[in-house]
Amino acid sequence: MTSSAHPVTADDLDQAVQLALTTLRQAPPTTDWDRPAGALTWTCWETVEHLADDLFAYAAQLGPRRPPLTREVPFVWEARREGGPANAIHADRSAGPEGLLQVLEAAGSFLVALVRVSAPEVRAYHGYGISDPEGFAAMGIVETLVHTHDLAEGLGLAWEPPAGLCARTVARLFPEAPTGEDPWRTLLWCTGRADLPGRQRPVRWRWDGRPAAERTG
């Protein structure tokens, strides 16, 4: 499978965000969003803020007419506690979980919109490789799927995204990933969150955001 034959699209990203929101909105009103998000050291609230921040940051990279190629657009990212995520985006706690998820949906919509309107030849900076709009869409999907996995574990919710969505995203960002396994399990393995038969779980991992034709090793 190649990314060019099965591209990742803005519709894929939109689907990922909406599926995540549908799942997270199933948390009961009495849910403690300050409990840990699965195996992360962040709380569930912080993890949603971090996910929203990821989606916003990727949109920001595509926003300028001449996107930067040597650094991120220089927003200020700050952690609100030692060990917490460094974000530019924070939700108003007084708005509660509903407001938190509105922040996530808004940030996702920014990236969906920028991916839709950006020309395929646009390139922008990411620390894991200069990327194109498809790559930023795929990055947003990875962040959304795996952090919703973390959140679902922390909140006690069921979460399993569509296999096709996972397969296209793995093909775009993890070209060396094992084949022949369940796509969702493979994505979790690629991001250090699950085991695959006969393979050691990665301790350190990263994707390759470069378009396939521009990878030189």
Side-chain angles (χ1 to χ4, degrees):
M1 180 184 298
T2 65
S3 180
S4 59
H6 300 276
V8 177
T9 67
D11 286 343
D12 287 329
L13 174 62
D14 188 50
Q15 180 188 28
V17 172
Q18 291 303 317
L19 288 173
L21 288 164
T22 296
T23 294
L24 296 175
R25 284 172 176 148
Q26 293 173 12
T30 58
T31 295
D32 177 11
W33 287 78
D34 288 321
R35 70 179 67 175
L40 301 183
T41 59
W42 300 335
T43 69
C44 290
W45 186 282
E46 289 173 332
T47 301
V48 175
E49 287 185 327
H50 167 78
L51 174 54
D53 192 80
D54 282 334
L55 298 172
F56 166 80
Y58 297 159
Q61 288 305 111
L62 293 172
R65 291 193 177 184
R66 294 184 178 180
L69 296 177
T70 59
R71 57 165 174 78
E72 295 176 335
V73 175
F75 288 91
V76 175
W77 278 273
E78 296 179 325
R80 290 192 165 180
R81 67 169 181 87
E82 185 176 355
N87 296 342
I89 299 297
H90 297 276
D92 182 352
R93 292 290 302 228
S94 68
E98 180 180 355
L100 174 67
L101 296 181
Q102 285 179 339
V103 169
L104 174 58
E105 184 169 18
S109 72
F110 296 157
L111 182 54
V112 169
L114 265 295
V115 170
R116 287 196 198 284
V117 302
S118 297
E121 62 268 19
V122 168
R123 299 291 182 269
Y125 176 83
H126 188 277
Y128 291 177
I130 303 298
S131 198
D132 58 355
E134 183 199 13
F136 280 99
M139 294 179 216
I141 292 169
V142 169
E143 300 284 5
T144 300
L145 299 188
V146 302
H147 283 312
T148 302
H149 165 78
D150 301 329
L151 288 158
E153 284 192 338
L155 298 171
L157 303 172
W159 170 245
E160 184 168 354
L165 179 63
C166 298
R168 290 191 296 279
T169 304
V170 168
R172 176 59 176 83
L173 293 181
F174 299 97
E176 304 302 321
T179 59
E181 302 288 349
D182 173 74
W184 173 223
R185 192 78 180 173
T186 300
L187 178 55
L188 290 175
W189 180 85
C190 288
T191 56
R193 287 170 168 82
D195 297 316
L196 286 178
R199 296 181 181 273
Q200 185 174 358
R201 183 184 303 196
V203 175
R204 303 181 68 179
W205 58 270
R206 60 184 289 164
W207 59 62
D208 188 342
R210 298 172 297 174
E214 298 170 23
R215 291 173 181 150
T216 57

